Amino acid sequence: MQRKFGNIYEYKRWRRHKRVRNRVVGTPERPRVAVFRSNQHIYAQLIDDEAGRTLLAVSSLKLEAPAATSKKADAKAEKAAAKVEKADAKAEGKKGDKAAKAAKGDAAEKVIKETKVSAGGKKTALAREVGRLLAEAATAKGFKKVAFDRGGYLYHGRVAALAASAREHGLDF
């Protein structure tokens, strides 16, 4: 049977996933955590490959992004706007047009550096939440050690955030 793919990217992910699956196997004692990432959501399952059963499934379908992340970002943005206004006021007070432009540029660069959020956006926050829920549910069912299957995706961004959160909340892989 030959598989049909919508585009070359699906085919490449399928090949990577096949390569990963040759090495990662879930057992009843150490199930496999399979990750699937769509454009909007992320899904994770605990799978026992020997029995061919899904033991546990968690997704971001019914979750909302944690509000704490957006509140922090809003507070940082407000502080940044206040700093820009102060820099503008200082620049107007200084003599000379070049000095004003230099002070204004320096303040703007400083504000941009301070407001960058390294934690990612809404989808990354959802991935972290899914990782936390997965870890809590798995430990409640008695699974501490798991094998992580990244599903052919790069271990970066949302996939890495889910894995880090699951490790942080008690899973061992």
Side-chain angles (χ1 to χ4, degrees):
M1 183 174 121
Q2 189 173 1
R3 274 188 68 120
K4 292 187 178 184
F5 297 95
N7 57 33
I8 191 73
Y9 302 109
E10 289 178 14
Y11 173 70
K12 287 181 176 181
R13 186 186 80 80
W14 175 75
R15 282 186 50 190
R16 284 191 305 269
H17 191 206
K18 200 167 88 169
R19 209 167 36 234
V20 169
R21 286 286 290 119
N22 286 332
R23 285 172 268 172
V24 179
V25 178
T27 63
E29 300 82 36
R30 188 182 175 112
R32 173 172 59 102
V33 175
V35 175
F36 177 74
R37 190 189 75 188
S38 70
N39 283 340
Q40 293 296 318
H41 297 286
I42 193 158
Y43 309 82
Q45 296 180 338
L46 277 183
I47 300 172
D48 173 10
D49 288 319
E50 289 179 2
R53 293 185 58 223
T54 298
L55 306 170
L56 176 73
V58 181
S59 74
S60 64
L61 285 174
K62 295 181 180 176
L63 295 178
E64 290 185 21
T69 307
S70 61
K71 286 181 182 178
K72 287 180 183 178
D74 291 342
K76 283 185 179 181
E78 287 177 19
K79 286 181 181 179
K83 286 183 180 181
V84 169
E85 289 176 15
K86 285 182 181 179
D88 288 343
K90 284 183 182 179
E92 287 176 14
K94 289 185 178 180
K95 292 182 181 178
D97 199 27
K98 288 183 181 179
K101 284 183 181 178
K104 197 173 190 179
D106 291 341
E109 285 178 22
K110 194 182 268 187
V111 167
I112 289 170
K113 287 180 184 175
E114 289 177 3
T115 57
K116 282 187 180 176
V117 179
S118 62
K122 178 183 174 188
K123 292 190 281 189
T124 307
L126 284 172
R128 272 192 226 97
E129 187 69 15
V130 168
R132 182 186 66 80
L133 291 172
L134 177 73
E136 289 174 356
T139 52
K141 282 198 167 190
F143 300 111
K144 184 80 173 150
K145 291 190 171 195
V146 295
F148 189 75
D149 175 8
R150 58 188 174 89
Y153 301 106
L154 292 176
Y155 189 82
H156 179 76
R158 291 190 278 161
V159 175
L162 186 145
S165 180
R167 274 194 192 108
E168 199 175 282
H169 291 91
L171 285 184
D172 184 27
F173 55 91

